[in-house]
Amino acid sequence: MSETNNAGDTGKPDSRRGIKSFVIRAGRLTKGQQGGLDRQWPVMGLELEQGAIDPKNVFGRDGHVVLEIGYGMGQSLVQMAAAAPEKDFIGVEVHLPGVGSLLNLAEEAGVTNLRTYKDDAIEVLKLIPDNSIDTVQLFFPDPWHKKKHHKRRIVQPEFADTLHRILKPGGVFHMATDWENYAEHMMEVMEVQDGYENVAGTNAFVPRPEHRPYTKFEKRGENKGHGVWDLMFRKVEKTE
């Protein structure tokens, strides 16, 4: 799936705004994707210009709120929203064809408990209130597998600290990757991060949860001999 950060029109990270975990991919919108944007963005779209949001006001109810960062083409997020109508889902994706795809799929599925940003996740997170999100999902982010690029990986202490702010007490940060080295990196970062506890126990991965859809992306990886690792860390009080 896609990562999170907007690299601007050049397709290169903008050093003026810090290290980026994402290089935006070029891609034309299909008719279906453009149609999804045209019809559903006014209904499901969220804009940075709206400022800080309250999920209760966005969805008109006080439900379990899931925030997914970098949902790619949106298939799994739409599946999760359709399977759990009692929950509310906010997606963040900077790749416009992915946003169009999500909106088109959501329209076809009749999903109404889903909203999305088409922006840099780091900017979006600034608009999320403290203690307002039950679950943050980060599935198959760009692994930046070359060692010299590891600093671009989104799972870093500062990012985890930002998520700690927006998560409700007891809320969960759920990560999944098919790169073992990145899984180890995620574990190393999160195990020493103040304010989190590993749901599965120290240095342990959780079994693949049923609520995370089994995607074509994951199947392809398994066919190539890739494993998949899921990590869940629960927000607890900080010790410092």
Side-chain angles (χ1 to χ4, degrees):
M1 287 189 182
S2 176
E3 261 279 8
T4 62
N5 292 345
N6 192 341
D9 295 335
T10 64
K12 297 179 180 179
D14 184 349
S15 60
R16 293 172 301 174
R17 299 177 62 200
I19 295 171
K20 293 297 175 184
S21 66
F22 173 85
V23 175
I24 199 164
R25 303 187 307 277
R28 292 186 176 182
L29 292 166
T30 66
K31 287 185 178 180
Q33 292 162 359
Q34 185 63 61
L37 283 165
D38 292 343
R39 293 185 303 273
Q40 292 301 313
W41 183 255
V43 180
M44 296 187 178
L46 295 172
E47 303 271 5
L48 293 179
E49 290 72 20
Q50 294 174 241
I53 65 166
D54 182 346
K56 296 177 185 177
N57 293 334
V58 170
F59 294 99
R61 62 181 182 179
D62 187 8
H64 182 111
V65 182
V66 179
L67 175 71
E68 179 158 336
I69 296 172
Y71 55 71
M73 301 307 287
Q75 295 96 332
S76 66
L77 183 54
V78 170
Q79 287 181 47
M80 283 185 282
E86 75 282 1
K87 296 182 180 180
D88 296 318
F89 294 80
I90 299 173
V92 184
E93 177 57 59
V94 75
H95 187 50
L96 194 57
V99 178
S101 173
L102 174 94
L103 294 172
N104 195 41
L105 292 169
E107 182 181 46
E108 291 176 353
V111 166
T112 59
N113 57 331
L114 175 61
R115 302 291 185 272
T116 183
Y117 284 92
K118 50 178 172 63
D119 297 287
D120 180 335
I122 301 305
E123 297 304 315
V124 171
L125 291 173
K126 296 175 183 177
L127 306 178
I128 306 296
D130 295 358
N131 306 306
S132 64
I133 303 296
D134 294 275
T135 305
V136 175
Q137 298 177 166
L138 180 70
F139 297 156
F140 305 103
D142 191 326
W144 292 102
H145 55 274
K146 292 182 180 179
K147 190 171 183 179
K148 66 180 181 180
H149 290 151
H150 285 185
K151 63 185 178 182
R152 298 197 184 281
R153 290 174 168 177
I154 192 169
V155 179
Q156 304 289 352
E158 183 179 3
F159 179 72
D161 196 50
T162 297
L163 297 188
H164 188 276
R165 177 186 68 78
I166 69 171
L167 281 167
K168 295 178 182 178
V172 172
F173 177 26
H174 179 190
M175 296 154 275
T177 181
D178 64 338
W179 284 84
E180 186 173 12
N181 178 264
Y182 198 5
E184 293 169 351
H185 169 89
M186 291 172 169
M187 188 68 76
E188 289 173 2
V189 169
M190 296 304 299
E191 281 288 355
V192 299
Q193 187 71 23
D194 190 29
Y196 287 94
E197 65 178 10
N198 190 335
V199 171
T202 304
N203 290 317
F205 297 94
V206 297
R208 182 187 170 279
E210 291 185 2
H211 68 263
R212 181 171 67 74
Y214 189 58
T215 65
K216 292 180 181 178
F217 175 90
E218 190 170 347
K219 292 174 186 176
R220 279 201 309 268
E222 289 184 352
N223 289 337
K224 294 178 181 178
H226 295 180
V228 174
W229 293 266
D230 282 83
L231 303 83
M232 289 186 177
F233 279 78
R234 182 182 295 112
K235 174 179 173 174
V236 296
E237 288 189 16
K238 291 188 175 183
T239 58
E240 299 178 357

